[in-house]
Amino acid sequence: MTDWRNISFWMTQQDEPLTPRPALQHDLDVDIAIIGAGYTGMWSAYYLKQQQPSLRIAILEAEMAGFGASGRNGGWVIGGLLGEERMLARLPEAERHDMHAVLQDIPDEIGRVVAKEEIACDFRKGGVLYCAARYPEQEARMRQWLKTLHSLGYTEADYHWLNPSELAAQLRVDRAFGALFSPHVATIQPASLARGLARTLEKLGVQIFEQTRVTGWQTGQVTTAAATVRAEWVIPAVEGYAASLPPLGKYQLPVQSLMIATEPLPASVWAEIGLDRGQAFGESSRQVTYGQRSNDDRMIFGARGGYRFGGQLRTDFNLSEDEVGLRRYLMGEMFPILKNVTITHRWGGNLGMARRFQPHMLCDRQQRIALSGGYGGEGVAATNLGGRTLADLILGNDTRLTRQPWVLGDKPVRSLAKWEPEPLRWLGYNSIIRSFVHEDQTLANPHTPAWRRKMAMALARRMESLMC
Ligand SMILES: Cc1cc2nc3c(=O)[nH]c(=O)nc-3n(C[C@H](O)[C@H](O)[C@H](O)COP(=O)(O)OP(=O)(O)OC[C@H]3O[C@@H](n4cnc5c(N)ncnc54)[C@H](O)[C@@H]3O)c2cc1C
């Protein structure tokens, strides 16, 4: 039996008893069957119900609502998408503005819904600080990124540079070179959003069956060990768990991200650090770090994890001392005052990575299957967009959401880009990550000669370009 409460620090904060909802024991006829009670499945149900309250919707969840990445993540609600710059670069200038507007509105849309539905999830829109914190090359990279963003139509109001003293007004980072700031990011308590969404859906008449693992799916039908659900539409919303629903595992790989939480820190420590209005922050290396201050004054800090051969899911997230040590080191480099702080929680989760390193949304009207996924580590907001988009696609509404570049429209699932077979995936993915780690270690050492710094960066850039 899963220890639900300890799957993440965020779950330990839930007031409810976390008793699973009843499993599905009998056959069922519905309009929409959704597999997975993470944000994707639940936002899809929410927006379908908003548009057509009479729809009969059932969600079948293998464990418990919020068990997956949705109950474990870093809580960054990003008004953007993985691969956004590449998608923008391919668009005519006239259409870029519309894409910016759609993406930047996502945190506000989530803010509106949690206010309307009274979901207490600590939603705060304090923006994000991508800090150049550990070596000077981070500043050059962030400034280059800023230039790219501006060349793609974003303005100074969307993204701007903060010099060290401007950054210090929000966040005091040791030896900082500055930071790129954007106001289009909010933070949340992720598990509270997931659990709150599940309760909201039940009030709207959506049936949620927990401890109900789907073992087979096809057009018009979903099967579990105990029952068959006949449905007009099927939405597989399992993201990092795609391998459990063949053939989805060919298109979405499970990769891990890992996190730590400190003990609650006293006001004197926060007076030194800052972060007093819900800002998200990271330290801009390719280690993909992300942090926020929790509602009970802990520092929450995460970084990219790994990929397991054969796309095996990681189930044990009792992180090793090395995994905790890397996160403690990265956090301590930014905030020396936290170097010896007590780490009270360690956890992680599986997330889905698509071959093109950008999300996809599609709706196969012939097979009556709708799918949104491949968010990488940027799915908290993207799932909301996915839910709204799938609702429009299924109900046949031609809207500004359904015309965006990540929407593949009326296409079969097999039109998604496939991952290479093993061992190519493992070798490819891990070589890229190795080059990132090598770059980071080389640059973090102030004694590394300039030529080696340049070589490490060139290699990592080259590997990054192979991703797409
Ligand atoms: C540690 C970590 C930190 C992250 N931080 C951030 C962040 O700060 N910001 C951000 O934007 N994104 C972040 N992400 C990514 C983000 O959390 C995900 O993209 C998002 O939650 C995906 O939601 P989902 O509903 O698609 O998938 P999930 O939340 O994973 O839900 C899938 C559900 O499907 C269920 N399931 C699987 N197989 C079956 C089956 N056969 N039958 C029935 N049910 C099944 C699972 O139990 C699970 O509940 C992070 C992810 C992780 C792991």
Side-chain angles (χ1 to χ4, degrees):
M1 173 89 179
T2 310
D3 180 6
W4 316 109
R5 197 164 291 281
N6 286 311
I7 61 172
S8 68
F9 159 69
W10 309 114
M11 275 299 175
T12 66
Q13 283 198 321
Q14 300 307 302
D15 290 335
E16 55 173 327
L18 297 184
T19 310
R21 295 172 170 84
L24 180 66
Q25 303 289 6
H26 51 84
D27 292 354
L28 200 62
D29 285 291
V30 292
D31 298 307
I32 320 263
I34 298 177
I35 311 171
Y39 300 143
T40 299
M42 293 196 283
W43 282 125
S44 301
Y46 180 79
Y47 288 106
L48 282 161
K49 273 288 191 187
Q50 293 303 300
Q51 293 202 39
Q52 264 192 34
S54 61
L55 283 174
R56 295 164 307 157
I57 304 179
I59 304 185
L60 312 174
E61 164 56 49
E63 303 275 347
M64 179 192 76
F67 172 81
S70 301
R72 304 164 185 247
N73 61 72
W76 283 33
V77 185
I78 307 169
L81 290 179
L82 185 70
E84 165 185 348
E85 292 90 336
R86 271 181 283 120
M87 290 189 265
L88 275 168
R90 286 186 216 118
L91 280 187
E93 211 169 315
E95 288 170 33
R96 287 182 186 163
H97 191 67
D98 198 47
M99 179 170 150
H100 297 164
V102 164
L103 295 182
Q104 291 175 352
D105 182 54
I106 312 172
D108 294 331
E109 168 63 14
I110 293 177
R112 286 188 287 270
V113 176
V114 299
K116 177 178 163 214
E117 305 296 351
E118 298 179 351
I119 299 175
C121 62
D122 301 328
F123 179 92
R124 285 179 299 170
K125 195 169 171 212
V128 63
L129 297 154
Y130 297 104
C131 304
R134 292 172 42 234
Y135 36 84
E137 287 84 354
Q138 287 181 318
E139 176 177 356
R141 187 182 305 150
M142 285 298 102
R143 284 188 183 271
Q144 184 53 45
W145 185 34
L146 183 58
K147 256 194 204 162
T148 306
L149 290 166
H150 287 170
S151 74
L152 293 170
Y154 285 115
T155 64
E156 274 284 301
D158 298 319
Y159 291 93
H160 61 266
W161 186 254
L162 300 179
N163 65 32
S165 63
E166 290 165 330
L167 169 62
Q170 298 198 51
L171 179 66
R172 265 77 70 193
V173 177
D174 198 40
R175 296 172 286 135
F177 302 94
L180 197 161
F181 176 77
S182 169
H184 304 298
V185 172
T187 52
I188 51 159
Q189 207 287 19
S192 298
L193 175 61
R195 302 297 300 169
L197 267 177
R199 288 191 295 272
T200 302
L201 289 177
E202 285 183 316
K203 283 190 219 143
L204 296 173
V206 173
Q207 291 180 278
I208 303 178
F209 299 98
E210 295 184 330
Q211 296 195 294
T212 300
R213 180 171 297 280
V214 169
T215 50
W217 68 299
Q218 61 188 74
T219 299
Q221 187 168 305
V222 164
T223 42
T224 72
T228 297
V229 180
R230 284 172 297 273
E232 190 64 22
W233 281 92
V234 177
I235 304 180
V238 295
E239 186 62 352
Y241 303 83
S244 81
L245 296 181
L248 294 182
K250 288 185 196 164
Y251 312 106
Q252 276 169 215
L253 287 193
V255 298
Q256 289 86 42
S257 196
L258 310 176
M259 305 193 62
I260 54 174
T262 68
E263 61 190 327
L265 305 171
S268 57
V269 171
W270 284 111
E272 281 200 32
I273 293 177
L275 282 188
D276 54 7
R277 53 184 168 88
Q279 299 98 321
F281 75 92
E283 55 71 77
S284 323
S285 71
R286 280 187 249 255
Q287 302 269 24
V288 190
T289 56
Y290 47 94
Q292 67 151 301
R293 175 178 176 173
S294 70
N295 59 6
D296 63 350
D297 284 337
R298 296 165 195 266
M299 181 63 89
I300 311 289
F301 193 85
R304 166 209 306 283
Y307 166 70
R308 301 193 149 189
F309 189 82
Q312 275 171 8
L313 279 185
R314 180 165 173 176
T315 50
D316 173 10
F317 284 104
N318 186 18
L319 310 194
S320 69
E321 289 312 315
D322 281 354
E323 289 168 331
V324 172
L326 173 66
R327 283 145 193 86
R328 180 195 276 284
Y329 159 76
L330 292 167
M331 181 176 75
E333 285 290 285
M334 292 183 85
F335 313 110
I337 196 172
L338 300 185
K339 272 195 169 138
N340 297 313
V341 74
T342 303
I343 305 294
T344 53
H345 298 79
R346 47 178 81 184
W347 74 99
N350 298 295
L351 53 92
M353 192 63 82
R355 179 62 189 89
R356 295 212 165 101
F357 293 88
Q358 67 185 50
H360 44 253
M361 296 167 196
L362 64 78
C363 176
D364 179 345
R365 300 202 79 79
Q366 206 182 351
Q367 299 295 320
R368 305 188 89 67
I369 286 164
L371 177 72
S372 171
Y375 317 109
E378 301 188 14
V380 175
T383 50
N384 172 276
L385 181 66
R388 282 186 278 151
T389 307
L390 294 194
D392 281 348
L393 288 169
I394 288 175
L395 299 176
N397 301 329
D398 176 20
T399 64
R400 78 195 297 212
L401 297 188
T402 61
R403 278 178 250 127
Q404 297 299 328
W406 49 86
V407 180
L408 306 181
D410 187 0
K411 292 254 172 72
V413 171
R414 66 170 184 281
S415 64
L416 294 172
K418 271 197 207 121
W419 279 96
E420 291 77 2
E422 293 291 17
L424 291 180
R425 287 176 196 186
W426 186 84
L427 285 171
Y429 198 89
N430 283 308
S431 311
I432 292 171
I433 300 303
R434 281 266 165 95
S435 76
F436 292 174
V437 172
H438 171 255
E439 179 199 45
D440 193 54
Q441 287 171 346
T442 307
L443 299 180
N445 179 354
H447 306 297
T448 310
W451 66 270
R452 278 195 56 201
R453 303 177 85 84
K454 276 194 187 138
M455 275 186 59
M457 282 192 296
L459 175 67
R461 257 200 312 271
R462 177 83 191 105
M463 297 301 274
E464 195 172 44
S465 71
L466 294 178
M467 282 170 134
C468 318

